[in-house]
């Protein structure tokens, strides 16, 4: 399905349950643009002022929910760039040079998460900078109108999809990343989380670089321990982490380096599959079906979308799938894919289809009775896309997952809504299959 929209309202849909006869439930997203300035490659959400409402964080700013009209500074927002408007006129534009400018630049804020590090009852903000630089958390001032105290806790965070998750199963999150050539995780001493965190390597020094693409966490083998996913395979977490043992590596080609990688049972057979982008600065989105040959774990690739429209059942194609999130968008109990295009990730030149629309999609996971699956693409927006991070959360407390995006086009919130419509209206909004011959390869039907 290809559509062009200029309004902030874009209709999406899903098969209804519990509505009146002859009616269906239509899903829509309302786009709210908080800023057109480029402050961060990703954005996130969290209740920062303890009012029970999610707020939005992007770069040095946070906006109070639910209206997002009041903005507060977290750390000095002093960055500007010169924009030449004419032979005698140049203006200073706030932020880094993104789509408001002409040259390709990068921000100093690639990822953010909220967490109460010092356990004072107020959520703080963890910020990962440009790949290869440091990671810090900013201490919530507990409602005071002042800048937040910065705690530099990790000197070098590598990989373009690091994550902050409870990898070890101790009930607290760790920073999962690469540093100085090794995969591993950095953990604080929770008695004093503002001191430098300790890195626990899980691989040998394989010379993994700052800009390595593709990383995820999930239980691949069903032992209830989270493993590490990367483009060349997966690292199996051992039964004990004492003395930082090297984890067992299982080679498996999983693309050429994508974005966030996810382990999830796509087809409902009880085995976790792997969902990943195939190449963050080119094309491709796929899921890898896990199957067993005796006790050996193997995977079978199923391409969802690639570099040509005919590679997708619905003719959808876009490049630069640089952020992926899984969430149950429509409340049917299955996790769907939320992703899009990282517009101008390397600027106006260099990457394929770099100037195409900055699309944001959700791909609905649909299972059939014979075990086949489909990912049905629904366009959310074509004016925002994703950054290195895309975050889903119930921003306005209505029980529906919403979407937060920060990138070179600015900062965006997409609020999900639903309404009851006629069957005819619902049908008109459905994506149409344009490549039925691809069904076998796309769905994995045997």
């Amino acid at each position: 399905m290809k559509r062009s929209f200029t309004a902030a309202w874009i209709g999406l849909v899903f098969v209804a349950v519990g509505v009146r006869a002859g009616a269906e439930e239509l899903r829509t997203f309302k786009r709210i643009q908080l800023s057109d300035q480029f402050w961060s490659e990703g954005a996130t959400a969290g209740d920062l002022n303890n009012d029970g409402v999610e707020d939005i964080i992007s770069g040095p700013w946070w906006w109070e929910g639910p209206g997002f009209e009041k903005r507060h500074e977290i750390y000095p927002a002093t960055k500007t760039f010169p924009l030449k408007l004419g032979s005698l006129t140049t203006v200073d534009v706030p932020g880094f040079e993104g789509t408001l400018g002409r040259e390709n630049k990068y921000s100093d804020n690639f990822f953010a998460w909220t967490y109460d590090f010092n356990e004072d009852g107020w959520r703080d903000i963890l910020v990962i900078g440009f790949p290869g630089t440091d990671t810090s958390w900013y201490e919530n001032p507990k409602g005071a109108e002042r800048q937040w105290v910065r705690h530099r806790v990790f000197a070098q965070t590598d990989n373009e999809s690091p994550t902050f998750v409870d990898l070890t199963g101790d009930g607290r999150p760790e920073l999962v990343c690469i540093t100085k050539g090794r995969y591993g995780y950095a953990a604080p001493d929770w008695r004093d989380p503002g001191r430098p965190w300790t890195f626990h390597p899980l691989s040998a020094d394989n010379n993994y670089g700052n800009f390595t693409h593709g990383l995820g966490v999930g239980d691949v083998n069903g032992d209830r321990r989270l493993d590490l996913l990367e483009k060349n395979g997966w690292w199996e977490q051992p039964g004990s982490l004492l003395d930082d043992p090297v984890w067992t590596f299982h080679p498996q080609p999983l693309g050429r380096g994508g974005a966030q990688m996810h382990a999830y049972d796509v087809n409902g057979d009880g085995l976790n599959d792997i969902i990943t982008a195939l190449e963050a600065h080119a094309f491709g989105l796929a899921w890898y079906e896990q199957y067993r040959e005796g006790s050996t774990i193997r995977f079978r690739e199923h391409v969802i979308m690639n570099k040509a429209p005919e590679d997708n059942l619905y003719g959808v194609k876009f490049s630069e799938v640089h952020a992926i999130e899984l969430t149950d968008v429509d409340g049917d109990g299955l996790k769907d894919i939320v992703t899009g295009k990282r517009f101008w990730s390397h600027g106006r030149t260099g990457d394929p289809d770099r100037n195409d629309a900055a699309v944001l999609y959700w791909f609905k996971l649909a299972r059939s009775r014979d075990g086949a699956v489909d990912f049905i693409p629904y366009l959310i927006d074509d004016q925002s896309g994703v950054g290195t991070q895309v975050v889903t959360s119930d921003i306005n407390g209505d029980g529906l997952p919403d979407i937060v995006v920060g990138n070179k086009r600015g900062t965006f919130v997409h609020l999900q809504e639903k309404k009851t419509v006629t069957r005819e209206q619902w049908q008109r909004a459905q994506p149409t299959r344009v490549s039925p011959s691809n069904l076998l390869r796309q769905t994995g039907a045997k």
Side-chain angles (χ1 to χ4, degrees), residues 329-348:
V329 173
D330 53 14
D332 65 353
L334 301 179
K335 289 188 177 183
D336 310 297
I337 298 173
V338 177
T339 189
K341 178 182 180 66
R342 185 184 173 201
F343 188 80
W344 280 12
S345 60
H346 289 152
R348 294 174 180 267

Side-chain angles (χ1 to χ4, degrees), residues 64-375:
E64 289 187 26
F68 312 116
E69 296 176 354
K70 190 172 183 180
R71 186 179 72 170
H72 306 267
E73 193 176 67
I74 302 163
Y75 56 84
T78 56
K79 181 67 179 178
T80 62
F81 70 92
L83 180 62
K84 190 176 180 63
L85 300 181
S87 59
L88 301 176
T89 303
T90 299
V91 297
D92 287 333
V93 180
F96 295 85
E97 189 163 3
T99 57
L100 294 180
R102 297 186 176 91
E103 301 297 325
N104 179 51
K105 304 295 182 182
Y106 301 98
S107 77
D108 59 2
N109 186 314
F110 267 58
F111 298 87
W113 292 270
T114 65
Y115 192 81
D116 182 5
F117 288 99
N118 55 2
E119 298 183 332
D120 63 356
W122 296 76
R123 282 187 168 266
D124 311 300
I125 302 171
L126 181 72
V127 173
I128 296 178
F130 187 82
T133 63
D134 62 26
T135 292
S136 302
W137 66 270
Y138 291 82
E139 185 174 344
N140 195 317
K142 304 178 185 178
E145 196 62 41
R146 59 176 173 81
Q147 290 182 355
W148 299 31
V149 175
R150 181 178 185 177
H151 301 273
R152 289 182 174 86
V153 293
F154 196 59
Q156 182 176 331
T157 303
D158 300 330
N159 191 284
E160 294 204 25
S161 300
T163 189
F164 186 58
V165 66
D166 181 11
L167 174 67
T168 63
D170 65 354
R172 294 179 183 269
E174 294 89 23
L175 171 60
V176 185
C177 62
I178 294 171
T179 193
K180 300 177 181 177
R182 300 171 184 260
Y183 278 106
Y185 57 96
D189 178 347
W190 289 103
R191 296 168 296 184
D192 190 359
R195 291 178 60 82
W197 294 4
T198 300
F199 184 70
H200 302 269
L202 63 83
S203 77
D205 182 355
N206 293 326
N207 295 315
Y208 300 115
N210 299 359
F211 306 106
T212 301
H213 285 74
L215 188 151
V217 168
D219 181 7
V220 175
N221 57 356
D223 63 359
R224 300 186 180 180
R225 293 190 292 268
L226 296 183
D227 309 303
L228 185 140
L229 317 173
E230 51 119 324
K231 66 178 182 178
N232 297 313
W234 59 283
W235 296 84
E236 180 181 350
Q237 182 171 161
S240 172
L241 298 176
L242 186 65
D243 298 326
D244 294 338
V246 172
W247 295 17
T248 300
F249 180 64
H250 301 269
Q252 168 65 49
L254 297 168
R256 293 166 293 281
Q260 291 81 7
M261 304 173 71
H262 299 270
Y264 182 66
D265 184 5
V266 172
N267 55 4
D269 64 356
L271 302 175
N272 274 342
D273 311 298
I274 296 175
I275 297 171
T276 183
L278 295 178
E279 190 168 0
H281 294 289
F283 297 95
L285 177 65
W287 69 279
Y288 289 80
E289 178 187 3
Q290 182 181 160
Y291 66 98
R292 303 288 176 92
E293 290 183 350
S295 60
T296 302
I297 295 175
R298 300 195 184 282
F299 290 91
R300 182 182 295 112
E301 181 188 73
H302 302 289
V303 173
I304 300 170
M305 177 185 70
N306 213 332
K307 60 185 177 181
E310 55 267 27
D311 293 324
N312 178 262
L313 288 172
Y314 302 87
V316 171
K317 182 207 75 167
F318 55 87
S319 63
E320 301 186 281
V321 181
H322 212 301
I324 298 175
E325 179 65 297
L326 291 190
T327 193
D328 183 3
V329 173
D330 53 14
D332 65 353
L334 301 179
K335 289 188 177 183
D336 310 297
I337 298 173
V338 177
T339 189
K341 178 182 180 66
R342 185 184 173 201
F343 188 80
W344 280 12
S345 60
H346 289 152
R348 294 174 180 267
T349 61
D351 294 319
D353 292 355
R354 54 199 168 274
N355 295 310
D356 282 6
V359 294
L360 177 65
Y361 273 86
W362 70 281
F363 288 77
K364 174 184 169 60
L365 172 58
R367 294 175 181 163
S368 67
R369 292 180 179 177
D370 64 359
V373 302
D374 193 7
F375 282 100

